Amino acid sequence: MAIPCTHFISSEKAAMENGFLLGSPNSISSPRVLTQDELKKIAAYKAVEYVESGMVIGLGTGSTAKHAVNRIGELLQQGKLTGIIGIPTSKMTHEQAVSCGIPLSDLDSYPVIDLAIDGADEVDPFMNLVKGRGGSLLREKMIESACKKFICIVDETKMVKHLGGSGLAMPVEVVPFCWKFSAQRLRNLFQDSGCVAKLRVYPESGEPFVTDNENYIIDLYFQKDIGDLDVASDTILRLPGVVEHGMFLNMATTVIVASELGITVKNK
Protein backbone atom coordinates (compact mmCIF):
# COMPACT_ATOMS: atom_id res chain seq x y z
CA MET A 1 0.00 0.00 0.00
CA ALA A 2 1.29 3.42 -0.86
CA ILE A 3 2.19 5.84 1.93
CA PRO A 4 0.67 9.23 1.05
CA CYS A 5 3.23 11.85 0.09
CA THR A 6 1.52 14.24 2.48
CA HIS A 7 2.73 11.97 5.30
CA PHE A 8 6.12 13.57 4.76
CA ILE A 9 4.76 17.10 4.28
CA SER A 10 2.27 17.43 7.09
CA SER A 11 2.78 21.15 7.55
CA GLU A 12 3.94 24.19 5.66
CA LYS A 13 7.06 24.34 7.83
CA ALA A 14 8.01 20.74 7.03
CA ALA A 15 7.35 21.31 3.36
CA MET A 16 9.57 24.38 3.28
CA GLU A 17 12.35 22.48 5.10
CA ASN A 18 12.19 19.70 2.52
CA GLY A 19 12.19 22.11 -0.39
CA PHE A 20 8.77 21.32 -1.84
CA LEU A 21 5.28 22.50 -1.07
CA LEU A 22 2.05 20.79 -2.06
CA GLY A 23 -0.28 23.74 -1.72
CA SER A 24 -0.15 27.50 -1.64
CA PRO A 25 1.07 29.18 1.59
CA ASN A 26 -2.56 30.00 2.41
CA SER A 27 -4.07 26.66 1.40
CA ILE A 28 -2.05 23.56 2.22
CA SER A 29 -5.24 21.53 1.72
CA SER A 30 -5.29 22.34 -2.02
CA PRO A 31 -2.45 20.22 -3.38
CA ARG A 32 -0.91 20.86 -6.76
CA VAL A 33 0.49 18.30 -9.17
CA LEU A 34 4.04 17.40 -8.24
CA THR A 35 6.77 17.58 -10.85
CA GLN A 36 8.89 14.56 -11.68
CA ASP A 37 11.86 16.13 -9.91
CA GLU A 38 9.79 16.69 -6.76
CA LEU A 39 8.75 13.04 -6.80
CA LYS A 40 12.42 12.07 -7.10
CA LYS A 41 13.22 14.28 -4.13
CA ILE A 42 10.51 12.69 -2.00
CA ALA A 43 11.86 9.19 -2.78
CA ALA A 44 15.42 10.32 -2.02
CA TYR A 45 14.49 11.86 1.33
CA LYS A 46 12.65 8.69 2.32
CA ALA A 47 15.74 6.62 1.50
CA VAL A 48 17.97 8.82 3.64
CA GLU A 49 15.79 7.92 6.63
CA TYR A 50 17.59 4.55 6.51
CA VAL A 51 20.99 6.21 7.01
CA GLU A 52 22.45 6.02 10.53
CA SER A 53 25.46 7.72 12.08
CA GLY A 54 28.73 5.84 11.59
CA MET A 55 27.67 4.19 8.33
CA VAL A 56 29.71 3.80 5.17
CA ILE A 57 27.36 4.91 2.39
CA GLY A 58 27.49 4.29 -1.36
CA LEU A 59 26.56 7.58 -3.01
CA GLY A 60 24.71 7.15 -6.28
CA THR A 61 24.81 9.17 -9.47
CA GLY A 62 22.02 10.87 -11.39
CA SER A 63 19.04 13.17 -11.12
CA THR A 64 17.41 11.22 -8.28
CA ALA A 65 20.50 10.24 -6.30
CA LYS A 66 21.72 13.84 -6.20
CA HIS A 67 18.84 14.68 -3.84
CA ALA A 68 19.95 11.94 -1.44
CA VAL A 69 23.54 13.20 -1.49
CA ASN A 70 22.37 16.74 -0.77
CA ARG A 71 20.16 15.53 2.08
CA ILE A 72 22.97 13.54 3.70
CA GLY A 73 25.16 16.64 3.50
CA GLU A 74 22.42 18.75 5.15
CA LEU A 75 21.99 16.27 8.00
CA LEU A 76 25.75 16.19 8.58
CA GLN A 77 25.87 19.98 8.74
CA GLN A 78 22.95 19.98 11.19
CA GLY A 79 24.68 17.40 13.39
CA LYS A 80 21.81 14.93 12.93
CA LEU A 81 24.24 12.49 11.30
CA THR A 82 27.85 11.96 12.37
CA GLY A 83 30.72 9.68 11.35
CA ILE A 84 29.45 9.14 7.80
CA ILE A 85 31.89 7.96 5.13
CA GLY A 86 30.72 8.26 1.52
CA ILE A 87 31.88 6.13 -1.41
CA PRO A 88 30.94 8.00 -4.63
CA THR A 89 29.93 6.12 -7.78
CA SER A 90 31.25 8.74 -10.21
CA LYS A 91 33.50 11.77 -10.53
CA MET A 92 30.39 13.95 -10.67
CA THR A 93 29.07 12.54 -7.38
CA HIS A 94 32.54 12.91 -5.85
CA GLU A 95 32.48 16.62 -6.64
CA GLN A 96 28.94 17.02 -5.32
CA ALA A 97 29.74 15.18 -2.08
CA VAL A 98 32.83 17.30 -1.48
CA SER A 99 30.74 20.45 -1.94
CA CYS A 100 28.24 19.05 0.60
CA GLY A 101 30.95 18.37 3.17
CA ILE A 102 30.61 14.57 3.12
CA PRO A 103 33.86 12.75 4.08
CA LEU A 104 34.84 10.35 1.27
CA SER A 105 36.84 7.19 0.78
CA ASP A 106 36.89 4.20 -1.60
CA LEU A 107 36.44 0.44 -1.86
CA ASP A 108 40.12 -0.20 -1.18
CA SER A 109 39.67 1.23 2.31
CA TYR A 110 36.07 0.06 2.84
CA PRO A 111 35.44 -3.17 0.89
CA VAL A 112 32.11 -3.69 2.69
CA ILE A 113 29.54 -0.87 2.52
CA ASP A 114 26.64 -0.58 4.94
CA LEU A 115 24.15 1.01 2.58
CA ALA A 116 23.98 2.40 -0.96
CA ILE A 117 21.35 4.79 -2.30
CA ASP A 118 20.98 5.22 -6.05
CA GLY A 119 18.41 5.72 -8.77
CA ALA A 120 17.56 3.53 -11.74
CA ASP A 121 16.41 3.94 -15.33
CA GLU A 122 14.05 0.97 -15.18
CA VAL A 123 12.68 -1.28 -12.43
CA ASP A 124 10.83 -4.50 -13.22
CA PRO A 125 8.31 -6.31 -10.94
CA PHE A 126 11.13 -8.45 -9.50
CA MET A 127 13.26 -5.42 -8.52
CA ASN A 128 15.75 -5.99 -11.31
CA LEU A 129 17.12 -2.71 -12.64
CA VAL A 130 18.54 -1.02 -15.70
CA LYS A 131 21.10 1.60 -14.76
CA GLY A 132 23.79 3.54 -16.56
CA ARG A 133 22.02 5.94 -18.87
CA GLY A 134 24.07 8.57 -17.04
CA GLY A 135 27.22 6.64 -17.91
CA SER A 136 28.35 5.49 -14.44
CA LEU A 137 27.25 1.85 -14.53
CA LEU A 138 30.63 0.22 -13.87
CA ARG A 139 31.45 2.12 -10.69
CA GLU A 140 27.82 1.91 -9.59
CA LYS A 141 27.83 -1.86 -9.96
CA MET A 142 31.18 -2.26 -8.19
CA ILE A 143 30.02 -0.24 -5.21
CA GLU A 144 26.45 -1.50 -5.03
CA SER A 145 27.58 -5.13 -5.25
CA ALA A 146 29.73 -4.52 -2.15
CA CYS A 147 26.94 -3.15 0.07
CA LYS A 148 24.86 -4.90 2.70
CA LYS A 149 21.75 -3.00 1.60
CA PHE A 150 21.02 -1.25 -1.70
CA ILE A 151 18.09 1.15 -1.75
CA CYS A 152 16.90 2.07 -5.23
CA ILE A 153 14.94 5.34 -5.47
CA VAL A 154 12.72 6.17 -8.46
CA ASP A 155 9.62 7.99 -9.55
CA GLU A 156 6.75 5.97 -11.00
CA THR A 157 7.79 6.55 -14.63
CA LYS A 158 10.71 4.15 -14.16
CA MET A 159 8.51 1.10 -13.50
CA VAL A 160 8.34 -1.39 -16.41
CA LYS A 161 6.87 -4.83 -17.03
CA HIS A 162 10.24 -6.16 -18.21
CA LEU A 163 13.74 -4.74 -18.57
CA GLY A 164 14.01 -2.90 -21.86
CA GLY A 165 10.26 -2.30 -21.78
CA SER A 166 10.58 1.49 -21.75
CA GLY A 167 12.06 1.42 -25.25
CA LEU A 168 15.00 3.41 -23.92
CA ALA A 169 18.63 2.38 -23.76
CA MET A 170 20.17 -0.56 -21.93
CA PRO A 171 23.83 0.53 -21.79
CA VAL A 172 26.89 -1.66 -22.24
CA GLU A 173 30.33 -0.25 -21.40
CA VAL A 174 32.99 -1.38 -23.90
CA VAL A 175 36.65 -0.66 -24.51
CA PRO A 176 37.18 1.86 -27.32
CA PHE A 177 39.29 -0.59 -29.34
CA CYS A 178 37.18 -1.84 -32.28
CA TRP A 179 33.93 -0.65 -30.72
CA LYS A 180 32.06 -1.18 -34.00
CA PHE A 181 32.99 -4.86 -33.84
CA SER A 182 31.65 -5.03 -30.27
CA ALA A 183 28.45 -3.21 -31.24
CA GLN A 184 27.81 -5.65 -34.08
CA ARG A 185 28.30 -8.66 -31.84
CA LEU A 186 25.94 -7.21 -29.23
CA ARG A 187 23.34 -6.57 -31.93
CA ASN A 188 23.70 -10.14 -33.18
CA LEU A 189 23.17 -11.55 -29.70
CA PHE A 190 19.70 -10.04 -29.49
CA GLN A 191 18.59 -9.94 -33.11
CA ASP A 192 15.51 -11.98 -32.21
CA SER A 193 14.49 -9.15 -29.88
CA GLY A 194 14.84 -6.56 -32.63
CA CYS A 195 17.96 -5.11 -31.05
CA VAL A 196 19.48 -1.86 -32.27
CA ALA A 197 22.97 -1.00 -30.99
CA LYS A 198 24.18 2.60 -31.04
CA LEU A 199 27.36 4.24 -29.88
CA ARG A 200 26.56 6.93 -27.31
CA VAL A 201 27.86 10.33 -28.41
CA TYR A 202 27.91 13.86 -27.04
CA PRO A 203 24.99 15.66 -28.75
CA GLU A 204 26.93 18.90 -29.16
CA SER A 205 29.97 17.48 -30.95
CA GLY A 206 28.99 14.00 -32.12
CA GLU A 207 32.14 12.68 -30.45
CA PRO A 208 31.92 9.39 -28.50
CA PHE A 209 30.74 9.69 -24.90
CA VAL A 210 33.62 8.69 -22.63
CA THR A 211 32.99 7.17 -19.19
CA ASP A 212 34.92 7.94 -16.01
CA ASN A 213 36.93 4.80 -16.87
CA GLU A 214 37.89 6.07 -20.37
CA ASN A 215 35.57 3.61 -22.09
CA TYR A 216 32.70 3.94 -24.59
CA ILE A 217 29.04 2.99 -24.16
CA ILE A 218 26.96 1.02 -26.64
CA ASP A 219 23.26 1.63 -26.02
CA LEU A 220 21.01 -1.33 -26.82
CA TYR A 221 17.35 -0.81 -27.75
CA PHE A 222 14.95 -3.75 -27.77
CA GLN A 223 11.63 -4.15 -29.57
CA LYS A 224 10.80 -7.35 -27.66
CA ASP A 225 11.47 -8.95 -24.28
CA ILE A 226 15.03 -10.35 -24.17
CA GLY A 227 13.94 -13.36 -22.12
CA ASP A 228 16.02 -14.91 -19.32
CA LEU A 229 17.96 -12.02 -17.81
CA ASP A 230 20.65 -14.17 -16.20
CA VAL A 231 21.38 -15.82 -19.54
CA ALA A 232 21.45 -12.43 -21.28
CA SER A 233 23.78 -11.03 -18.63
CA ASP A 234 26.25 -13.92 -18.84
CA THR A 235 26.20 -13.88 -22.64
CA ILE A 236 27.01 -10.17 -22.83
CA LEU A 237 29.83 -10.43 -20.28
CA ARG A 238 31.47 -13.30 -22.19
CA LEU A 239 32.10 -11.03 -25.19
CA PRO A 240 35.72 -9.83 -25.31
CA GLY A 241 35.74 -6.05 -25.28
CA VAL A 242 32.72 -5.74 -23.00
CA VAL A 243 33.54 -4.22 -19.61
CA GLU A 244 30.12 -4.25 -17.94
CA HIS A 245 26.41 -3.90 -18.71
CA GLY A 246 23.59 -1.93 -17.13
CA MET A 247 21.40 -4.79 -15.93
CA PHE A 248 21.53 -4.86 -12.12
CA LEU A 249 20.00 -8.24 -11.34
CA ASN A 250 19.01 -9.31 -7.81
CA MET A 251 20.97 -6.42 -6.30
CA ALA A 252 18.38 -3.99 -4.92
CA THR A 253 17.17 -4.91 -1.43
CA THR A 254 14.65 -2.06 -1.27
CA VAL A 255 12.90 -0.04 -3.98
CA ILE A 256 11.24 3.25 -3.05
CA VAL A 257 8.78 4.55 -5.67
CA ALA A 258 7.29 8.04 -5.47
CA SER A 259 4.04 8.79 -7.29
CA GLU A 260 1.16 11.21 -7.03
CA LEU A 261 -0.54 8.67 -4.76
CA GLY A 262 2.38 8.58 -2.35
CA ILE A 263 5.44 6.51 -1.52
CA THR A 264 5.58 2.77 -2.10
CA VAL A 265 8.35 0.80 -0.39
CA LYS A 266 9.13 -2.69 -1.68
CA ASN A 267 11.61 -4.95 0.13
CA LYS A 268 13.18 -8.27 -0.67
Side-chain angles (χ1 to χ4, degrees):
M1 182 175 68
I3 305 169
C5 289
T6 50
H7 173 77
F8 303 106
I9 315 173
S10 58
S11 69
E12 181 178 347
K13 180 180 178 182
M16 293 298 288
E17 287 177 351
N18 287 345
F20 38 76
L21 189 60
L22 291 182
S24 68
N26 298 321
S27 181
I28 298 300
S29 62
S30 300
R32 62 174 174 80
V33 175
L34 295 173
T35 67
Q36 186 179 17
D37 190 60
E38 287 168 332
L39 292 174
K40 292 177 179 181
K41 191 170 186 178
I42 291 169
Y45 276 45
K46 180 61 178 176
V48 175
E49 293 179 10
Y50 290 77
V51 177
E52 300 176 1
S53 293
M55 279 186 167
V56 179
I57 306 294
L59 304 175
T61 297
S63 60
T64 307
K66 71 177 182 180
H67 292 304
V69 175
N70 284 338
R71 183 60 173 162
I72 291 169
E74 289 173 1
L75 294 175
L76 282 170
Q77 292 173 12
Q78 295 167 7
K80 296 178 181 179
L81 286 176
T82 59
I84 295 293
I85 299 294
I87 312 292
T89 56
S90 66
K91 293 178 180 178
M92 181 172 64
T93 299
H94 184 282
E95 293 174 0
Q96 181 193 3
V98 168
S99 72
C100 291
I102 302 174
L104 300 179
S105 190
D106 55 33
L107 287 172
D108 291 333
S109 300
Y110 294 93
V112 178
I113 297 172
D114 294 304
L115 175 69
I117 300 174
D118 205 353
D121 301 305
E122 291 184 354
V123 181
D124 77 4
F126 305 100
M127 296 171 58
N128 295 311
L129 318 174
V130 168
K131 292 176 51 57
R133 289 181 190 148
S136 303
L137 63 144
L138 175 58
R139 297 190 187 190
E140 288 172 339
K141 190 170 284 190
M142 290 177 67
I143 289 167
E144 286 150 16
S145 67
C147 63
K148 297 175 184 177
K149 295 181 180 180
F150 170 26
I151 301 177
C152 175
I153 49 177
V154 294
D155 67 272
E156 61 183 338
T157 66
K158 303 303 190 296
M159 307 305 293
V160 296
K161 293 182 179 179
H162 59 83
L163 295 193
S166 69
L168 301 175
M170 197 285 282
V172 180
E173 187 162 341
V174 301
V175 297
F177 176 74
C178 294
W179 67 264
K180 291 181 181 179
F181 173 75
S182 296
Q184 184 60 51
R185 297 188 80 181
L186 287 165
R187 183 185 299 112
N188 291 343
L189 282 180
F190 300 103
Q191 61 183 1
D192 291 342
S193 298
C195 179
V196 175
K198 296 181 179 180
L199 177 70
R200 185 178 300 183
V201 299
Y202 294 105
E204 312 81 29
S205 65
E207 293 296 314
F209 175 91
V210 179
T211 71
D212 285 349
N213 318 297
E214 304 298 325
N215 293 317
Y216 290 173
I217 287 183
I218 304 298
D219 285 322
L220 304 183
Y221 301 85
F222 305 107
Q223 295 178 7
K224 302 177 184 177
D225 191 335
I226 62 174
D228 189 308
L229 297 177
D230 290 316
V231 172
S233 170
D234 292 344
T235 304
I236 292 172
L237 292 175
R238 282 200 297 267
L239 290 179
V242 167
V243 179
E244 189 52 85
H245 60 69
M247 289 187 289
F248 284 51
L249 308 181
N250 301 309
M251 291 180 62
T253 56
T254 299
V255 174
I256 298 175
V257 186
S259 72
E260 287 295 332
L261 297 178
I263 290 284
T264 301
V265 180
K266 185 175 182 179
N267 296 300
K268 276 193 175 177

